[in-house]
Amino acid sequence: MKWFIFTFFLMTLVPGLTATDNGFEPPTYGLPIPETAWQVRQDPERDLFDAAFLVHYTSFENQHNRHYRLIRILSEQGKAAAEFLHDSETLSAVKGRVLYPDGTELGFDSTADFVEILTYRSRRKKVKATILIPPGLTTDCLVEMEWFEAADLGLKKDTFFKRFDIRDDYYCLSKTFDMGVKDVPEGKTLAWVTQKPKEPITLALQNSRTKTPTFTFNNIPPRKSHPFGNPNQAPNAHSFIVYRTLPFTASTFLRGKPVPDWNGDYVVSFPTDIQLIARMITYHFDNPDTNKAMRVFSKEVKHMLTKEAGVDLKKEPIRAAKLTLTALHERISVSNRLNAEQLIMFRNKKEKKPSNLKPCFRNGWADPFQINLIFVWLLRELNIQFQFVYANPVTSPPYKASEKTPFSFDWRMPLIMVKEPQQRAMFCAWRPEFEPGMLPSELQGTAALAVNPYRRFFHVDTDTPHFGATANQLETHVDAELNENGSCRLRLTQTGTGVNKSRMVRALHHLREEEQGPFLRRHWKRRLGNNVELLDAQATPIKDLKDAVTLTVDAQIDHDEAQNWFEIDPFPGLFVNLPQPKMWPADRTQPIVLDYAFVQTETMTLRVPSGWTLKGKHHRHRENRVGTVTFEANQEGNVIRVQRTLTLTDNRLEAEAEPDLRFFLAWAREANLQTIAVAKGDAQ
């Protein structure tokens, strides 16, 4: 009842946003703002803090989209709600005004109010966006804004779909999506998929005066950001997906005439047929532009498998696929994973993205899509059956089968799954730093869609494999010797597997061999700090992403020789790479997502002079469902051995595990700071 009263009260302040006998009326810019707008105040019961969107309106039109916002600013932090970020190329017009309690206002529509910044940059691409910071913002004001953006049938050019989050960073009274696209070319339209919201959010479905549907979500609490979380995975996460439908002529014979419909818990218009989408999007994989070099390579791979490796292609398809991908990576590099020499040649090429596969074998590299295409073609040539698997990274909105739309996927970049009667393997061909069959951590353990190209693109919900902690090990050994004069010479040796190995290799792979040593010395000088003298840092030469890497660091620590005891950091420059959040908001509902599970083991062998002993007892073992942390030290004769082990058992945890995670992070921080003391004789 409280929510209903609150909604009725606030709807009286929305200028023009009403439902009449003639249909839904969109908001109109520049009308007088009702006095009730000023009565909106901070309300902890409804998570209304700092600012509130009183009206959040988006209309999708044929050639442009209209956006309207009415925002109540309540604090210094709330001013950020009025900051406006937009693509410089599509923004066509903007105007706004800041209103004050005394009745005065300040308008803005000049380019002087815009700040252009570089929001994204790679070695091949720069993207600029425009930030509008309204002038004259105070801690007690209203902001009204309207702007237009260029669109093609309601979406940005070359964009097939867009997902809108219902929740924002601030409380929102009303968020409306007006499907105003009309008079479009025959056989196309703009469609939508949205979830029926959970309380306290309500949804009103109406028709506008032009008979186009509008969706208005009311009483929307702000989304919450939690450490190691993804708001899109929260149980109360809501989305509104807008997408272009396929031409009727292409789909009618497969699914009949599309009919807008309420379907279960979701509003569906022109329901998407996944089989049709898969067939149309993956046709590239059916008919690649092959050439003589590819056909010769295919024969070489088949000879290697059957004659040299002795693989039975029918009984061992997974092994065959792994060896095939390894051979492909040895022959063709991925363009965003090139070594130093390849980078020089790549930058000198005028055509960075060739239109066909012919240059790939000539140049020695292919882009991520092309390497995946070649891998699929090789599997077909070897008569190894496979399936396409589509999955989103854990940091992106998850795939939800009940949404009945596949548009959250990148359809150009599927994983490739090969199955045997008792096992399966998935391959990420465009990430050559991982062993074939190993997936990047962000694609592990996620909901996915498997599409079978051999059964008319029959699809089934599945998930990706989740590799445990033992797949990502980082082992470090410190060999040290303490002299009577207080100097301690040490050598650190480090190796890794899985994600740890890939990070070690990628840090060096793009550098020439003579550049790798200086890079490592600069890196380790920063890590060791001012109290440790770096003598040298080297790694085994890295030329290929699959090369094993061993890191060696030589250093020296000088203590005051007048002392009879020394405090020693057994693992200088080593730490657990886990953030230590300072804020932990209450009422967490979203799952915990850490980068990857791992086992990090560090050992030290310290030789001390005769008569020197280890002081104190060092045996700590902490364990919960998140992981374990141990620290042990003991002495045998003149040798002190120290071991620190941290195991993150699982990087995907339910929300209820947050208290255990906080304990684990505290234990890890304690282990990072742990030192040992050695003393001469009975010195204390």
Side-chain angles (χ1 to χ4, degrees):
M1 179 63 69
K2 288 184 179 180
W3 283 107
F4 174 78
I5 295 173
F6 187 66
T7 303
F8 178 79
F9 164 73
L10 288 182
M11 288 300 289
T12 63
L13 59 83
V14 181
L17 185 59
T18 56
T20 68
D21 293 338
N22 295 324
F24 175 85
E25 289 283 352
T28 302
Y29 177 82
L31 293 180
I33 305 296
E35 286 298 320
T36 48
W38 296 102
Q39 299 176 24
V40 176
R41 298 294 177 185
Q42 303 205 49
D43 189 343
E45 183 180 347
R46 297 176 179 87
D47 282 338
L48 198 166
F49 298 100
D50 301 320
F53 290 100
L54 305 183
V55 183
H56 191 296
Y57 173 84
T58 301
S59 175
F60 303 95
E61 305 291 345
N62 290 21
Q63 296 181 348
H64 69 268
N65 293 339
R66 176 178 175 243
H67 301 270
Y68 176 91
R69 305 287 186 269
L70 180 62
I71 308 168
R72 180 73 168 100
I73 306 296
L74 299 167
S75 71
E76 186 69 30
Q77 291 82 359
K79 293 180 181 180
E83 293 182 358
F84 173 70
L85 176 66
H86 209 285
D87 188 341
S88 308
E89 297 179 356
T90 61
L91 184 66
S92 58
V94 64
K95 59 183 176 181
R97 55 179 178 156
V98 181
L99 301 98
Y100 305 102
D102 61 3
T104 60
E105 63 180 64
L106 177 64
F108 55 92
D109 59 5
S110 170
T111 55
D113 299 318
F114 291 81
V115 178
E116 193 174 71
I117 62 170
L118 185 67
T119 57
Y120 174 82
R121 180 176 182 177
S122 71
R123 64 189 180 195
R124 293 187 289 272
K125 184 178 182 182
K126 295 181 181 179
V127 177
K128 287 186 177 181
T130 299
I131 288 183
L132 168 63
I133 303 177
L137 293 178
T138 70
T139 58
D140 184 14
C141 66
L142 283 164
V143 181
E144 185 182 30
M145 294 191 298
E146 180 184 62
W147 71 92
F148 295 84
E149 62 177 346
D152 180 15
L153 296 183
L155 289 174
K156 184 178 177 181
K157 187 178 180 181
D158 299 327
T159 299
F160 195 70
F161 92 103
K162 186 171 183 179
R163 178 189 294 267
F164 296 88
D165 290 334
I166 301 303
R167 293 179 181 242
D168 284 294
D169 292 332
Y170 301 94
Y171 176 88
C172 185
L173 164 66
S174 114
K175 177 174 285 192
T176 298
F177 299 96
D178 188 347
M179 311 303 293
V181 171
K182 53 188 178 296
D183 301 327
V184 299
E186 183 180 359
K188 294 184 179 180
T189 188
L190 192 69
W192 60 88
V193 173
T194 188
Q195 182 180 9
K196 277 186 178 179
K198 299 178 182 179
E199 292 185 353
I201 303 174
T202 61
L203 170 62
L205 175 62
Q206 300 168 298
N207 285 330
S208 67
R209 298 183 66 181
T210 58
K211 306 304 181 182
T212 56
T214 63
F215 298 82
T216 300
F217 297 84
N218 299 307
N219 300 326
I220 307 170
R223 60 172 169 249
K224 292 186 177 181
S225 296
H226 293 269
F228 310 106
N230 178 358
N232 293 296
Q233 294 186 355
N236 57 4
H238 298 84
S239 296
F240 189 85
I241 300 174
V242 179
Y243 62 94
R244 293 194 188 95
T245 60
L246 298 174
F248 293 167
T249 54
S251 59
T252 301
F253 73 97
L254 284 181
R255 62 185 184 189
K257 184 178 180 180
V259 179
D261 183 31
W262 285 89
N263 191 329
D265 289 337
Y266 294 85
V267 185
V268 181
S269 178
F270 301 104
T272 302
D273 189 310
I274 294 177
Q275 290 173 265
L276 177 63
I277 296 292
R279 181 67 186 88
M280 296 185 69
I281 299 298
T282 59
Y283 77 94
H284 297 283
F285 292 93
D286 294 340
N287 303 291
D289 185 13
T290 60
N291 54 73
K292 181 178 179 180
M294 286 181 62
R295 292 188 289 272
V296 170
F297 180 68
S298 172
K299 293 179 180 178
E300 292 174 352
V301 170
K302 187 171 185 179
H303 180 271
M304 178 271 294
L305 292 174
T306 58
K307 303 300 182 181
E308 299 177 13
V311 178
D312 188 324
L313 298 180
K314 292 184 178 180
K315 295 182 179 180
E316 303 175 284
I318 291 179
R319 183 183 172 210
K322 289 181 177 181
L323 292 173
T324 298
L325 186 55
T326 298
L328 177 59
H329 286 157
E330 290 175 352
R331 179 67 180 271
I332 304 291
S333 298
V334 183
S335 57
N336 57 6
R337 299 290 194 277
L338 301 180
N339 61 32
E341 289 75 15
Q342 291 172 321
L343 271 174
I344 295 173
M345 294 187 290
F346 179 83
R347 289 166 178 161
N348 291 331
K349 288 287 182 181
K350 293 182 179 180
E351 188 180 20
K352 299 294 193 299
K353 294 184 177 180
S355 57
N356 56 60
L357 299 177
K358 188 175 181 179
C360 296
F361 282 82
R362 181 177 65 246
N363 297 333
W365 64 72
D367 67 31
F369 172 73
Q370 290 171 330
I371 200 76
N372 215 22
L373 193 153
I374 296 172
F375 179 52
V376 168
W377 178 79
L378 286 171
L379 294 181
R380 290 188 189 277
E381 290 293 296
L382 296 168
N383 292 319
I384 297 176
Q385 291 202 357
F386 62 90
Q387 295 184 33
F388 298 110
V389 175
Y390 296 92
N392 282 340
V394 293
T395 53
S396 301
Y399 165 66
K400 297 179 180 178
S402 53
E403 282 185 348
K404 301 177 176 64
T405 174
F407 293 102
S408 58
F409 297 126
D410 182 354
W411 282 89
R412 286 169 50 88
M413 300 303 297
L415 302 172
I416 307 302
M417 178 170 66
V418 177
K419 300 178 71 174
E420 293 180 2
Q422 302 299 325
Q423 61 178 327
R424 64 174 185 166
M426 293 186 189
F427 301 91
C428 186
W430 65 92
R431 296 291 294 272
E433 64 268 32
F434 293 100
E435 295 297 324
M438 180 78 173
L439 298 181
S441 57
E442 66 270 17
L443 290 175
Q444 294 182 23
T446 66
L449 185 74
V451 178
N452 191 336
Y454 302 95
R455 296 181 59 191
R456 299 187 62 184
F457 290 84
F458 174 78
H459 63 275
V460 63
D461 294 326
T462 185
D463 56 8
T464 59
H466 187 202
F467 300 90
T470 55
N472 306 302
Q473 300 197 42
L474 185 65
E475 296 186 356
T476 308
H477 179 70
V478 179
D479 188 71
E481 183 170 0
L482 178 66
N483 297 318
E484 289 277 4
N485 62 5
S487 68
C488 183
R489 185 77 174 262
L490 59 91
R491 166 165 286 191
L492 179 152
T493 306
Q494 187 175 80
T495 60
T497 64
V499 175
N500 290 309
K501 176 199 168 186
S502 72
R503 292 184 174 184
M504 294 171 68
V505 173
R506 286 201 62 195
L508 301 171
H509 180 250
H510 67 287
L511 300 172
R512 293 194 297 269
E513 187 173 338
E514 60 271 22
E515 296 175 328
Q516 294 175 9
F519 168 82
L520 286 171
R521 287 189 283 275
R522 291 192 301 271
H523 174 74
W524 277 91
K525 186 174 180 60
R526 291 193 299 268
R527 291 188 64 163
L528 292 172
N530 297 327
N531 296 325
V532 181
E533 179 186 2
L534 175 67
L535 302 177
D536 195 14
Q538 294 288 340
T540 50
I542 301 297
K543 294 185 178 181
D544 186 86
L545 285 167
K546 289 186 171 58
D547 286 346
V549 57
T550 300
L551 173 70
T552 303
V553 177
D554 293 310
Q556 182 167 313
I557 306 173
D558 292 319
H559 302 91
D560 187 351
E561 61 180 325
Q563 291 183 250
N564 290 325
W565 70 275
F566 302 122
E567 182 182 19
I568 296 176
D569 179 2
F571 308 112
L574 300 176
F575 50 86
V576 181
N577 190 23
L578 284 174
Q580 297 285 342
K582 295 181 179 180
M583 299 291 292
W584 295 86
D587 303 324
R588 181 179 193 132
T589 59
Q590 55 192 259
I592 296 168
V593 180
L594 295 103
D595 285 346
Y596 59 99
F598 63 84
V599 178
Q600 183 169 322
T601 304
E602 292 136 353
T603 58
M604 181 189 199
T605 301
L606 174 64
R607 292 176 293 279
V608 297
S610 298
W612 288 71
T613 58
L614 173 68
K615 295 299 180 182
K617 295 181 179 180
H618 300 275
H619 180 78
R620 293 185 177 87
H621 179 84
R622 305 283 190 268
E623 183 174 0
N624 62 19
R625 57 178 162 174
V626 176
T628 60
V629 179
T630 62
F631 186 94
E632 295 180 296
N634 56 72
Q635 183 173 1
E636 295 180 5
N638 291 343
V639 178
I640 297 174
R641 290 183 173 84
V642 186
Q643 179 167 312
R644 180 172 70 188
T645 304
L646 295 99
T647 302
L648 178 61
T649 307
D650 196 347
N651 60 320
R652 310 287 168 77
L653 303 162
E654 65 277 11
E656 292 74 19
E658 185 181 87
D660 285 331
L661 174 62
R662 296 174 67 175
F663 274 112
F664 177 80
L665 294 176
W667 299 336
R669 182 171 61 250
E670 177 189 46
N672 279 337
L673 301 174
Q674 183 67 54
T675 61
I676 61 172
V678 294
K680 185 176 182 179
D682 296 327
Q684 299 295 322

